[in-house]
Amino acid sequence: MFLQLTKLWLRGGRWLVMFACLIFFAWCYVRAFQSQGTTTTAISEQERVYLNAAIETRPDLSPDFSRSVSQPLNDWLPHRTDGVVRPLWPWLAAWNVAKGQEPATAALTAADQHVLHSGKRWMLGLSLAFLLMLGLAAARVFSVPAALLTILTIGFGVLLPSASAFSPDVLFQLLFLMIWVCCVAALKRNSLWLYGLIGFLSALANLTLPTTTTLVGVFIAVSSLRWLWGWIMAHLPHERGTSLWTWRNHWLGMILLVVCHLITVGPMLSYSKEKLGDAAPFHWRWFENESAMQQWTAAHQTRESLQAVPPEDRPGYASYRAAHSSEDVKKRLFEGGLRMTESVLQFPWSFDSLPHERGVFVIALASILFVLMLILGFVAPQAAHAGQALHPETAPLALFSVLACVACFFDFGWDMPVLTWGNRHLALYPPLVLSLLWASEALVHRARRRKMRLPVFVIYESVLWALCVLAFWRVIAVLQPASFAA
């Protein structure tokens, strides 16, 4: 009977369960978004900034090609920035702006309301479509509870709360996750198109919010170390391995990554150089708080005003180090990392509102991964051939995941005193959850190939189903408007 049920499950039963769960998930997601309220009577100052940026961008969407082609086309692409607000989200929102619409003031007009509501609904549709596709893709390689847990934690823990505001947070979080997945894929098998995709997606992310440079920098460092190891092994006598990572592709792939990135982000760099005198102004990173940053940015929004400031007085790394000791730098990094940990893992836990306690799932998944590592190392039968061993690129994947997580934690943490608005920092949570589940599923697959005993897999999937039930139970709390707190 057990074998018959197993065959039925593998032939199509798992997909029926998955599709039913996805339909229920989509219904809950839309209902939860509606429970947040659709009437906007007041908006934050940051939302007003993005709204006015969209209104300012609207004339660019009607280019005049009567005199030339290159300049109107360049103006049509996302490019307007003041050094802090990036152009992609205002450019997307500008398609809902009426021609001749006036900048938003304290009293929102009907046209302003239309732009705000359309932007939020667009983010809802984008995030839901992405989650459904992610669930289907995960179900092909993961178990059903692992695939469901992926979209439940990411959707209700990060994307849904971020979609409640008129901001580019959701777009940045999705792009950040896709870049992470592409980096992992490129470390497993470095096809050239993956390098180009990383460059293109990182450019889109940098056009949305600052910045994915740290993540891509870690990938370049780890993949370069992998190239060095591959080059050494290629010039030493040894037996051929089974790795699909080709060291000869690396530097050509790096060139392709940089070219795709610069071509995509080029219009913004050109506009910033022309307007501000700096293609990549990061003055805002070197202030102590948001109010000081906003005051300085508001007073220096042109090339002339920036050039009037002596180079030694311009905010930057050199001026910051001159005014702060090494202890001050370490303190800001430590406090930023601590605030990132508290925010991403949502400490302290309250268990009475949504978004759900993100740290509960991270700790549970990390514990599962640790136990599986112990089982595979000390309990499971030893690998008899390459198909039963770990992936040949396990070491670079693990190194990249750890280094990228730590580096981005401190990078985003450094900016938290300045960028206090939005959920940009929550972009780290989806890759963290996906990496833990990905690693756990990979260990389970290897244990199955080594003929590990069945109770281990039953317990593993039972724990995942229990976490799914917990996540759905928190979703039910969302559907009660009085108990929802984003």
Side-chain angles (χ1 to χ4, degrees):
M1 178 61 70
F2 177 79
L3 291 176
Q4 293 299 326
L5 291 175
T6 301
K7 291 180 180 179
L8 183 63
W9 173 258
L10 294 176
R11 286 176 180 174
R14 65 191 304 270
W15 285 108
L16 291 177
V17 172
M18 189 66 194
F19 279 116
C21 290
L22 287 178
I23 293 172
F24 181 64
F25 169 81
W27 179 81
C28 291
Y29 196 81
V30 174
R31 285 291 304 274
F33 176 80
Q34 294 172 346
S35 71
Q36 298 180 78
T38 57
T39 302
T40 305
T41 57
I43 58 175
S44 65
E45 181 59 31
Q46 197 60 38
E47 289 178 300
R48 193 181 307 278
V49 168
Y50 279 111
L51 177 58
N52 286 329
I55 295 173
E56 183 182 1
T57 305
R58 181 62 181 86
D60 297 338
L61 304 183
S62 302
D64 182 9
F65 294 105
S66 59
R67 295 185 178 181
S68 65
V69 176
S70 60
Q71 187 60 41
L73 182 61
N74 186 77
D75 292 341
W76 181 82
L77 295 171
H79 65 281
R80 293 182 181 271
T81 180
D82 61 359
V84 180
V85 175
R86 299 300 177 97
L88 185 57
W89 174 236
W91 185 85
L92 292 172
W95 292 93
N96 293 311
V97 175
K99 290 186 178 180
Q101 184 173 335
E102 296 295 326
T105 58
L108 297 177
T109 64
D112 296 335
Q113 296 277 7
H114 172 71
V115 177
L116 293 171
H117 295 163
S118 299
K120 293 178 182 179
R121 288 195 296 268
W122 190 87
M123 284 298 185
L124 169 71
L126 176 65
S127 60
L128 180 57
F130 178 86
L131 288 169
L132 294 177
M133 289 189 293
L134 177 62
L136 291 175
R140 293 189 61 186
V141 292
F142 294 174
S143 61
V144 171
L148 287 175
L149 197 58
T150 301
I151 62 174
L152 283 168
T153 52
I154 295 175
F156 289 97
V158 175
L159 298 182
L160 181 65
S162 301
S164 63
F166 184 79
S167 72
D169 293 335
V170 170
L171 189 58
F172 180 78
Q173 290 157 2
L174 296 181
L175 289 168
F176 192 90
L177 177 59
M178 287 190 287
I179 295 167
W180 188 294
V181 172
C182 288
C183 290
V184 171
L187 287 172
K188 294 178 66 176
R189 182 174 185 173
N190 60 335
S191 300
L192 292 178
W193 69 270
L194 283 172
Y195 287 95
L197 188 59
I198 292 171
F200 175 68
L201 292 176
S202 62
L204 291 182
N206 288 342
L207 288 173
T208 306
L209 281 174
T211 173
T212 58
T213 304
T214 302
L215 177 62
V216 177
V218 172
F219 166 74
I220 292 174
V222 174
S223 59
S224 297
L225 288 175
R226 179 63 184 86
W227 167 84
L228 180 61
W229 177 253
W231 181 84
I232 293 174
M233 295 301 293
H235 291 79
L236 292 177
H238 67 287
E239 294 183 1
R240 293 282 182 179
T242 58
S243 176
L244 297 177
W245 203 92
T246 306
W247 64 272
R248 293 182 180 85
N249 283 0
H250 177 65
W251 294 113
L252 181 58
M254 288 290 105
I255 295 173
L256 188 61
L257 186 155
V258 173
V259 169
C260 290
H261 184 93
L262 292 179
I263 288 176
T264 307
V265 84
M268 184 186 73
L269 299 180
S270 177
Y271 177 83
S272 182
K273 181 67 175 179
E274 179 182 352
K275 180 183 178 182
L276 303 176
D278 191 346
F282 284 96
H283 306 300
W284 53 270
R285 298 200 75 180
W286 309 107
F287 291 92
E288 296 292 340
N289 53 66
E290 185 179 14
S291 59
M293 181 270 291
Q294 290 179 342
Q295 292 175 6
W296 195 91
T297 303
H300 301 84
Q301 292 190 349
T302 63
R303 172 194 289 264
E304 293 74 17
S305 61
L306 282 171
Q307 290 179 344
V309 180
E312 63 273 11
D313 294 335
R314 295 177 189 173
Y317 175 77
S319 60
Y320 187 88
R321 291 294 287 119
H324 296 78
S325 65
S326 298
E327 292 300 321
D328 294 331
V329 175
K330 293 178 182 177
K331 181 180 178 181
R332 180 165 174 173
L333 284 172
F334 175 77
E335 292 180 349
L338 185 61
R339 291 178 61 184
M340 277 291 298
T341 303
E342 293 176 350
S343 183
V344 172
L345 301 184
Q346 203 175 344
F347 293 133
W349 299 332
S350 60
F351 296 101
D352 60 355
S353 62
L354 279 181
H356 58 58
E357 291 65 33
R358 291 181 286 266
V360 173
F361 294 94
V362 169
I363 292 175
L365 292 175
S367 301
I368 292 172
L369 177 61
F370 179 73
V371 172
L372 288 173
M373 290 173 63
L374 293 178
I375 292 174
L376 197 66
F378 300 101
V379 180
Q382 295 300 311
H385 52 79
Q388 295 180 351
L390 293 176
H391 194 279
E393 308 304 335
T394 298
L397 293 177
L399 180 62
F400 167 77
S401 299
V402 173
L403 287 182
C405 188
V406 172
C408 290
F409 252 80
F410 284 111
D411 181 36
F412 287 4
W414 177 274
D415 296 336
M416 289 194 78
V418 180
L419 300 181
T420 60
W421 43 268
N423 293 322
R424 162 182 173 259
H425 57 284
L426 294 185
L428 277 172
Y429 185 75
L432 183 59
V433 169
L434 185 59
S435 296
L436 291 172
L437 281 168
W438 202 337
S440 298
E441 289 289 313
L443 293 181
V444 168
H445 289 327
R446 296 305 182 276
R448 283 194 174 122
R449 292 177 181 177
R450 298 184 190 182
K451 310 299 182 182
M452 188 64 190
R453 293 182 178 180
L454 182 63
V456 174
F457 309 120
V458 174
I459 295 173
Y460 168 73
E461 294 214 5
S462 298
V463 172
L464 291 187
W465 277 115
L467 291 174
C468 288
V469 171
L470 174 62
F472 268 118
W473 174 70
R474 304 298 288 121
V475 170
I476 294 173
V478 153
L479 302 182
Q480 307 299 321
S483 66
F484 179 74

